[in-house]
Amino acid sequence: MVPKFGTSGLRGRADALTTDCITAYIQAFVAACPIGNGVFVARDLRESAPRIAKDVIAALRQMGIAVTDCGCAMTPSLALASSRAGSAAIMVTGSHIPAAYNGLKFYTPMGEITKIDEAAILAALGGPAITRPLGPLRYADISAAYRTRYTTAFGTAALVGRRVGVWSHSAVGRDDLIAILRALGAEVVEFGRADHFIAVDTEAVTDTTRARLRAAARMYRLDAILSMDGDGDRPLMTDAGGTLIAGDILGQITARALGATSVVTPISSNTGVEALDLHVLRTRIGSPYVIAGMQAQPRAIGYEANGGVLLGYDAQCAGPLPALMTRDSLLPMLAALIAAAGGTLAARVRAEPARFTASGRLPDIDPGAAQRLIADLQADSRAFLAPFGLEPAYINRMDGLRITALCGQILHIRPSGNAPELRLYTEAASPRAAARLLKAGLQHLKARLVQQVVIGVADL
């Protein structure tokens, strides 16, 4: 995979993220974007992350920039620390994609880079090199401020009486998560800590992982299980039965728990939010689009189907919770646990509008093949829905192809923006119906891709 720069920063195979490649993008970032008082750098737990972080730090210092090395830390923790210091930040992470890949996420002192920043960085790529006297290097532990953020906001008795499991795997925020839960009064049972990197995609959790989480919930008699992706900006949460709670449902619950008046969320998120007493703005998929949409909305919460929540205003809980304009995994999980006080998470989830989503992916799909398939499906959506016994009612092409059937069921197909994958999101009036539609839809898309290849070969 040739390194690609876009909505999620720079992504590619770790061996393709060479010193020269990294230096070129660092130079372009510094030339195109404000960096304030310097640059904070952190990394996740991938095997390639220390080497890449070393190259990032060296490239910055060679430009005369003051660098703060934060070591291994969560993306939201890095964003919080750098913004408070009036500095830019670079997170070395491939997020949820496989261990052989890695990447860089860029932040200005104001937060995640915008689409305008992306264009400016690409325009500056390949420009004249900036060389100055070696910049200073400092070291900082940024976990304490992030942990204090939540104990201050929710109070040390917020989770008293809750027995919570933490699936640690290789999430860089696993120790922060455990420490915060205990500081809020919860009893914590940790399981599944790994010493090698495990890619966890919170939007495409495997059946094996789901079964493992259900077994852990039973074995340890848990009220909930909490986890996250590799860099800590996407939550993974189950109820007491080990049933996964969809990320966009966590977003809905968080919006109401924090008193938001506006929600900004991509077109792929659960449509139940429109039934709530909130102003809803839909965007394309990707946090830069969500951030752009939040700028003009009062008391806005932003979230994606992956569950990462952006807080666009200073909220008041048991204590103050300042705005943080980057995806955060802990906020929605803590908000849901606290919102379920006096009852169960499952009951709190049932209180949301009865719309249910499922998502999955077809890996190792050439982006060109994915685009051709979507073009074919757009040309004849009726034929595409026919095998499912559905009739199209409405088509949305904001991001990929989203088809709403007359019965209200939804299929949304789009290529991933950061991996060679084809994503499918489904929605229906029951979890079982959404899951059935997802399974049938993935099988049908796979068959269509195979047919596409066969036809292409026949035409040669």
Side-chain angles (χ1 to χ4, degrees):
M1 179 181 175
V2 175
K4 179 182 177 183
F5 182 76
T7 298
S8 297
L10 182 66
R11 292 277 178 88
R13 286 193 60 88
D15 54 14
L17 292 169
T18 62
T19 300
D20 288 345
C21 174
I22 290 167
T23 300
Y25 276 95
I26 297 298
Q27 292 264 354
F29 171 58
V30 172
C33 298
I35 61 167
N37 298 320
V39 180
F40 282 47
V41 179
R43 65 184 188 270
D44 68 13
L45 298 179
R46 291 166 191 266
E47 289 79 359
S48 60
R51 186 266 301 173
I52 294 172
K54 183 178 178 181
D55 283 346
V56 168
I57 291 169
L60 289 165
R61 295 188 69 203
Q62 286 165 10
M63 301 173 74
I65 294 168
V67 177
T68 301
D69 183 354
C70 303
C72 296
M74 297 172 64
T75 293
S77 179
L78 175 67
L80 178 67
S82 62
S83 63
R84 285 182 173 179
S87 297
I90 297 173
M91 180 71 187
V92 179
T93 181
S95 187
H96 60 284
I97 60 179
Y101 295 80
N102 215 321
L104 306 177
K105 290 182 178 178
F106 297 93
Y107 292 77
T108 71
M110 287 71 73
E112 289 186 40
I113 58 171
T114 65
K115 300 305 290 183
I116 293 173
D117 293 328
E118 285 180 25
I121 292 169
L122 287 172
L125 198 61
I130 304 169
T131 304
R132 299 192 182 106
L134 200 63
L137 176 62
R138 308 180 185 92
Y139 297 90
D141 180 352
I142 58 177
S143 292
Y146 183 74
R147 295 177 183 184
T148 300
R149 170 181 173 81
Y150 287 113
T151 53
T152 299
F154 295 123
T156 55
L159 297 180
V160 169
R162 292 290 188 182
R163 181 176 167 86
V164 180
V166 171
W167 177 36
S168 291
H169 61 89
S170 56
V172 73
R174 56 195 180 185
D175 292 333
D176 285 331
L177 174 56
I178 291 169
I180 289 169
L181 287 169
R182 286 178 174 156
L184 296 179
E187 178 185 358
V188 178
V189 178
E190 182 191 12
F191 64 94
R193 180 172 286 245
D195 57 7
H196 62 284
F197 188 80
I198 300 171
V200 173
D201 186 344
T202 62
E203 286 187 273
V205 181
T206 65
D207 290 342
T208 300
T209 297
R210 291 171 185 265
R212 183 182 183 189
L213 294 173
R214 288 193 295 270
R218 291 193 301 270
M219 179 186 303
Y220 300 118
R221 302 184 307 281
L222 302 172
D223 294 313
I225 294 174
L226 279 64
S227 189
M228 61 185 73
D229 67 340
D231 68 316
D233 67 349
R234 301 177 178 212
L236 185 151
M237 188 177 195
T238 81
D239 62 19
T243 300
L244 283 170
I245 303 171
D248 42 13
I249 297 299
L250 291 176
Q252 291 176 197
I253 293 172
T254 303
R256 292 209 276 179
L258 297 186
T261 58
S262 305
V263 162
V264 182
T265 192
I267 191 67
S268 57
S269 294
N270 190 301
T271 62
V273 69
E274 271 87 3
L276 305 177
D277 187 22
L278 296 164
H279 172 71
V280 180
L281 176 67
R282 294 284 182 169
T283 72
R284 293 183 63 187
I285 294 173
S287 54
Y289 297 108
V290 174
I291 291 169
M294 292 174 70
Q295 301 301 325
Q297 304 300 318
R299 295 185 64 84
I301 287 279
Y303 64 82
E304 300 178 76
N306 59 47
V309 167
L310 302 97
L311 178 59
Y313 60 97
D314 295 337
Q316 184 65 36
C317 305
L321 183 64
L324 183 59
M325 287 291 281
T326 193
R327 285 188 310 213
D328 187 2
S329 63
L330 260 70
L331 177 54
M333 294 191 290
L334 296 177
L337 272 175
I338 293 167
T344 66
L345 268 173
R348 181 62 190 81
V349 170
R350 286 196 298 272
E352 294 299 301
R355 296 296 296 172
F356 300 90
T357 57
S359 62
R361 62 183 176 178
L362 295 177
D364 303 318
I365 303 299
D366 175 74
Q371 293 288 2
R372 289 191 296 275
L373 174 60
I374 288 174
D376 290 344
L377 299 178
Q378 286 178 347
D380 194 353
S381 58
R382 188 175 299 276
F384 172 57
L385 291 186
F388 314 119
L390 302 175
E391 285 282 334
Y394 177 69
I395 293 176
N396 186 306
R397 297 183 177 88
M398 178 185 289
D399 197 331
L401 177 64
R402 185 175 176 88
I403 306 174
T404 301
L406 286 172
C407 65
Q409 293 189 350
I410 297 171
L411 291 101
H412 183 182
I413 310 105
R414 69 179 289 271
S416 170
N418 48 46
E421 301 170 348
L422 187 64
R423 295 269 182 172
L424 176 62
Y425 306 86
T426 61
E427 183 173 321
S430 74
R432 183 172 296 181
R436 281 200 306 263
L437 190 59
L438 177 68
K439 181 177 180 180
L442 288 172
Q443 290 173 343
H444 186 72
L445 290 173
K446 186 175 182 179
R448 290 288 294 259
L449 285 164
V450 170
Q451 181 185 40
Q452 182 175 283
V453 171
V454 171
I455 292 171
V457 170
D459 289 341
L460 292 179

